Amino acid sequence: MQTTRRLVIIRHAKAEPWAPSDVDRVLEERGRVEARMLGEWLAGQGVVPDAAFVSYAARTRETWAAVAGGAGWTLEPEYDGGLYGTDEEGVLDLVRGVPDDTGTVVVVGHNPTMGMVVQLLDDGEGEASESIALGTFPTSTAALFDVGVAWAQIGAMQARLRHFHVARA
């Protein structure tokens, strides 16, 4: 029996423009509200992660906390320093390392990488494929994919984009 696999790619919520360093930027109030709304929407889609990777930057950690709070998730994510500056292949390498019996994986990171991952994975056949425009992946956005291959095999055009949702207050 094949495990149904879902991959959720999330761009962090709206962050303050300045901090002592980029990695220290925290969410604006609007970002906290929209991240919680995104979590509520994900819960409404039946998303419950079995594994999660979150960039170690302050804004992505806060986004995870607000999304998880809105969704009612209790999973402790893996905070990954590599997600802060990696490219789309680095993101996919993380996902490829997930045990094959894992059902749902969530990744919370930064643009332009998150948007590039979505573009790369989309097979063009999903209900939401027409929702994404090249190069756009706003803050507080989630892309939900069905993955029909083993996690270790995920790559270009290997997932079906079912939902693309931008949370706005």
Side-chain angles (χ1 to χ4, degrees):
M1 181 171 103
Q2 181 174 331
T3 303
T4 300
R5 293 176 193 88
R6 292 178 92 183
L7 177 62
V8 182
I9 303 295
I10 298 175
R11 180 178 177 198
H12 66 78
K14 181 73 175 164
E16 65 182 4
W18 307 106
S21 72
D22 185 64
V23 77
D24 294 325
R25 290 174 45 216
V26 296
L27 295 183
E28 292 182 349
E29 181 58 29
R30 172 184 145 201
R32 285 188 281 282
V33 169
E34 290 175 351
R36 183 164 189 83
M37 291 170 57
L38 187 59
E40 292 167 356
W41 181 83
L42 288 164
Q45 301 304 309
V47 174
V48 179
D50 301 303
F53 299 101
V54 177
S55 165
Y56 77 120
R59 61 191 177 277
T60 47
R61 291 191 320 259
E62 286 186 38
T63 297
W64 170 263
V67 167
W73 301 338
T74 58
L75 177 73
E76 187 62 34
E78 180 178 325
Y79 295 105
D80 190 281
L83 273 174
Y84 179 75
T86 195
D87 62 8
E88 54 274 15
E89 198 58 37
V91 173
L92 293 182
D93 283 345
L94 280 175
V95 175
R96 288 180 188 123
V98 172
D100 206 42
D101 62 350
T102 303
T104 300
V105 176
V106 174
V107 179
V108 182
H110 310 270
N111 252 11
T113 302
M114 295 299 100
M116 295 297 289
V117 168
V118 170
Q119 294 286 333
L120 179 69
L121 289 176
D122 184 19
D123 69 2
E125 300 294 325
E127 298 89 332
S129 290
E130 297 297 318
S131 301
I132 58 174
L134 187 61
T136 62
F137 201 73
T139 56
S140 301
T141 295
L144 276 67
F145 288 96
D146 287 344
V147 178
V149 297
W151 291 118
Q153 297 172 335
I154 196 165
M157 299 179 66
Q158 293 291 317
R160 183 142 304 160
L161 185 60
R162 295 295 184 191
H163 299 284
F164 184 84
H165 182 75
V166 181
R168 287 294 178 251

